[in-house]
Amino acid sequence: MEKPVIVTVDDDPGVSRAVARDLRRRYGQDYRVVRAEAARDGIEAVKEMRLRGVEVAAILADYRMPQMNGVQFLEAAMDLYPYARRVLLTAYADTDAAIQAINVVDLDHYMLKPWDPPEEKFYPVIDGQLDAWLRTDRIERSELRVVGDRWSAQSYKVRDFLARNHVPYQWMLAEDPEGAQLVSAAGEGCHLPLVVTADGTTMESPDQSELATAVGLSTTPATDFYDLIVVGGGPAGLGAAVYGASEGLNTVLVEAYSSGGQAGQSSRIENYLGFPDGVSGQQLADRARRQALKFGAELLTARKVTMLEPRGQARVIGFRDGGEIAAHAVILATGVTYRRLEAPGLDEFVSRGVFYGAALTEAPACKDTEVYIVGAANSAGQAAVYLSGFASKVHLVVRSDGLEKSMSHYLIEQIAALPNVEVHLQTEVVGGGGSDHLERLTLSFKGEERVVDAQWLFVFIGAEPYTSWLGETIERDARGFLLTGPDLVQGGRRPRNWPLRREPYYLETNVPGVLAAGDVRAESIKRVASAVGEGAMAVALVHRYLEKH
């Protein structure tokens, strides 16, 4: 097979040769490097490669070019090679333009010139981009096929589960010719959604456990006793799994749905340390998941925990579908879920036009339609920016009189610069309706109601912790968030045998050996970075606990 190609375009002949030289020196054995000194020549070369069926892994374009700038070049190349990694080469003076390009062409990285020595400033970036390209499903026909109805809640759940667990699949409607053929082959009375694996195995309306097993996700624990059990696979849980396993603890992470949690649904996180050009929640979660596996952590997916019980020195958790495992210590990182919007007529359309969270799998289907988003925090702002690239118009519905109190400044600026995003202040969604899917919403502005046509509603209105399954075992506040450390002391509920030391165990619950980290913990900051930090800190406190027991 012909080697995949790395394309580089720069109108400065000296820089063009230097880029190609550095690329060939490091990647020439596995990739072919094609360079052009004019944007039009570069586009013609990319078109020719597309016609020949050659794969393009990465495209590097200089920002300042006379015929078309680098952003315009990457935008044109993206139509031909949507999976190629896009890198903009820029001078320091053009940094602002590069940052804006992140949203225009979904830029993967921008790189400042010069980058000597390349071993420190060039190759690590390109290594990461090529690694991401290699892990991207680029086959137009995926091995796993899903057939269902457009507005079926169960079809959406299957597609969302696969997407959030990074399982490539091909989606087709039951009325499409190929979809109809597969349904017919499955036999009479086929229950949709239908999932067909590479070897021809069919699953009708499968649950998460069946899906997880079919696509090779681990669902069965390797043993019945561990050093550390982490419950929840969001940023805090993944951080705890990485640090626990890397420091020699026999660690298992249990996740009911998919790694990443709420952060995994974010289209782009731009304020996370170390990612100046932003990173999607899925990318961040996938990297953390692979990092945890590299250190030897065990990850269980589609297993819901419904019981926690201290038994002597052991801490035991039980699963909803039966079975239990135990450990010396447990870190609770179950995160939060978005609160339901209590407006008449919406509940029946959940996953059929009404979505809680970003629902990134639905974004392409929003093309050329109007989308409504409820919320005023960062998650709502990120969704508005992302969906503006698909929808003809995005309506951000905000109950308060402004965004400044709840949304980061950089997101407010981005939203203000988008011509197809409109912010509706002092407005609420008070109703919805439709037939087999959402078709209309009722909006209220200062008590005046109006009905609008709407097929898409994404809701981000605060969070509820997933802690009801704990019963009376773990102390919680009035909203259900887990109380730890000083909050327990201040409430006069110092747990028995709690260490009497000058610095309190900030993350430990009322049960010694059971800690809480991330959004589920009362008084936590509710940010991705702080959740990861709490996960790491919880592991340090686990070590202290184990030293005493």
Side-chain angles (χ1 to χ4, degrees):
M1 293 179 61
E2 189 171 351
K3 292 179 181 179
V5 174
I6 301 174
V7 177
T8 173
V9 183
D10 197 305
D11 67 318
D12 184 323
V15 174
S16 178
R17 287 192 295 270
V19 175
R21 179 199 63 218
D22 288 344
L23 289 171
R24 291 191 180 105
R25 181 187 304 164
R26 175 84 164 212
Y27 309 106
Q29 184 173 347
D30 300 312
Y31 297 86
R32 184 163 64 93
V33 177
V34 173
R35 74 179 182 93
E37 296 180 4
R40 289 176 184 168
D41 293 342
I43 287 295
E44 290 303 315
V46 170
K47 287 180 178 178
E48 181 181 346
M49 286 183 281
R50 182 61 177 165
L51 291 173
R52 288 167 42 206
V54 176
E55 286 195 288
V56 172
I59 304 173
L60 288 69
D62 181 54
Y63 176 68
R64 290 182 178 268
M65 294 189 292
Q67 297 166 338
M68 63 172 72
N69 65 38
V71 175
Q72 295 167 329
F73 178 86
L74 291 172
E75 190 171 17
M78 184 170 62
D79 293 335
L80 299 168
Y81 284 99
Y83 300 113
R85 308 298 291 182
R86 295 173 288 279
V87 178
L88 190 68
L89 307 179
T90 180
Y92 182 80
D94 298 319
T95 301
D96 288 343
I99 293 174
Q100 291 298 320
I102 292 171
N103 296 316
V104 175
V105 296
D106 197 19
L107 189 69
D108 294 304
H109 202 92
Y110 70 87
M111 187 180 302
L112 296 178
K113 300 186 296 184
W115 48 74
D116 289 330
E119 289 77 13
E120 295 180 11
K121 299 181 179 180
F122 186 66
Y123 293 145
V125 171
I126 305 303
D127 285 347
Q129 297 305 317
L130 294 178
D131 178 63
W133 179 78
L134 287 169
R135 290 185 290 102
T136 300
D137 175 52
R138 306 178 302 278
I139 302 173
E140 294 185 3
R141 180 182 178 83
S142 176
E143 291 185 333
L144 193 72
R145 288 165 287 175
V146 180
V147 186
D149 295 321
R150 177 68 197 88
W151 296 109
S152 161
Q154 184 61 23
S155 294
Y156 164 74
K157 290 176 182 177
V158 167
R159 291 184 292 122
D160 188 59
F161 179 82
L162 294 173
R164 289 175 60 181
N165 282 286
H166 310 280
V167 179
Y169 68 93
Q170 182 185 11
W171 161 248
M172 57 189 73
L173 296 174
E175 58 265 27
D176 291 343
E178 188 174 357
Q181 291 172 9
L182 290 173
V183 172
S184 176
E188 292 186 12
C190 175
H191 296 286
L192 298 178
L194 173 68
V195 178
V196 184
T197 65
D199 62 5
T201 301
T202 61
M203 293 179 287
E204 299 179 17
S205 193
D207 60 25
Q208 289 180 17
S209 180
E210 291 177 280
L211 270 177
T213 302
V215 300
L217 297 174
S218 178
T219 60
T220 305
T223 184
D224 57 4
F225 197 91
Y226 296 85
D227 293 326
L228 173 63
I229 296 172
V230 181
V231 184
L238 288 168
V242 168
Y243 278 88
S246 66
E247 294 174 9
L249 298 178
N250 184 14
T251 302
V252 60
L253 183 150
V254 183
E255 168 55 43
Y257 195 71
S258 65
S259 57
Q262 274 195 358
Q265 300 182 61
S266 296
S267 54
R268 186 172 292 277
I269 302 169
E270 297 189 61
N271 58 355
Y272 190 76
L273 185 67
F275 293 89
D277 48 355
V279 61
S280 76
Q282 282 194 345
Q283 289 173 326
L284 190 64
D286 182 51
R287 292 181 182 187
R289 181 188 61 81
R290 290 186 291 114
Q291 196 173 14
L293 290 172
K294 181 187 78 170
F295 286 123
E298 185 180 339
L299 271 61
L300 302 182
T301 306
R303 297 300 299 272
K304 193 165 188 176
V305 178
T306 55
M307 180 271 288
L308 171 63
E309 180 181 305
R311 295 181 191 169
Q313 294 300 313
R315 305 291 177 260
V316 181
I317 66 166
F319 301 111
R320 180 176 61 181
D321 55 358
E324 59 185 35
I325 54 176
H328 294 298
V330 173
I331 296 176
L332 299 174
T334 51
V336 294
T337 58
Y338 288 109
R339 289 204 306 266
R340 290 296 180 100
L341 185 61
E342 295 185 6
L346 292 184
D347 280 352
E348 61 185 290
F349 299 117
V350 173
S351 301
R352 295 189 294 141
V354 177
F355 302 92
Y356 288 87
L360 300 183
T361 55
E362 300 302 288
C366 297
K367 186 173 178 61
D368 300 327
T369 65
E370 296 196 13
V371 169
Y372 285 79
I373 298 173
V374 178
N378 279 6
S379 53
Q382 290 162 352
V385 172
Y386 180 70
L387 290 171
S388 69
F390 299 88
S392 59
K393 190 165 187 176
V394 175
H395 301 269
L396 185 59
V397 180
V398 178
R399 184 173 57 180
S400 64
D401 57 2
L403 296 172
E404 291 74 16
K405 292 181 180 179
S406 54
M407 189 177 293
S408 295
H409 180 68
Y410 78 92
L411 273 174
I412 296 176
E413 287 189 327
Q414 286 184 18
I415 289 171
L418 292 170
N420 64 332
V421 177
E422 182 177 355
V423 181
H424 303 269
L425 299 177
Q426 296 180 288
T427 304
E428 296 181 66
V429 174
V430 295
S435 52
D436 64 334
H437 63 90
L438 181 69
E439 295 175 341
R440 58 189 174 275
L441 291 172
T442 302
L443 305 181
S444 175
F445 172 70
K446 295 182 178 180
E448 295 184 8
E449 295 186 357
R450 61 187 177 97
V451 178
V452 296
D453 293 333
Q455 291 186 320
W456 305 97
L457 176 67
F458 299 88
V459 182
F460 305 82
I461 56 168
E464 294 178 341
Y466 175 57
T467 57
S468 58
W469 61 277
L470 289 166
E472 301 298 321
T473 306
I474 305 295
E475 293 278 359
R476 305 190 290 279
D477 67 12
R479 296 181 298 163
F481 290 91
L482 302 181
L483 293 171
T484 61
D487 296 315
L488 286 166
V489 175
Q490 292 169 8
R493 292 184 295 273
R494 183 187 297 274
R496 287 179 300 173
N497 302 322
W498 210 50
L500 295 173
R501 49 194 305 141
R502 185 168 296 173
E503 70 277 11
Y505 276 14
Y506 284 101
L507 305 180
E508 191 169 37
T509 69
N510 60 296
V511 177
V514 178
L515 298 94
D519 289 359
V520 74
R521 190 179 69 83
E523 305 304 325
S524 63
I525 301 300
K526 310 296 188 281
R527 286 288 188 270
V528 176
S530 59
V532 173
E534 288 195 3
M537 177 60 74
V539 172
L541 298 181
V542 165
H543 282 295
R544 291 190 187 182
Y545 172 79
L546 294 178
E547 289 173 3
K548 300 292 184 181
H549 297 80

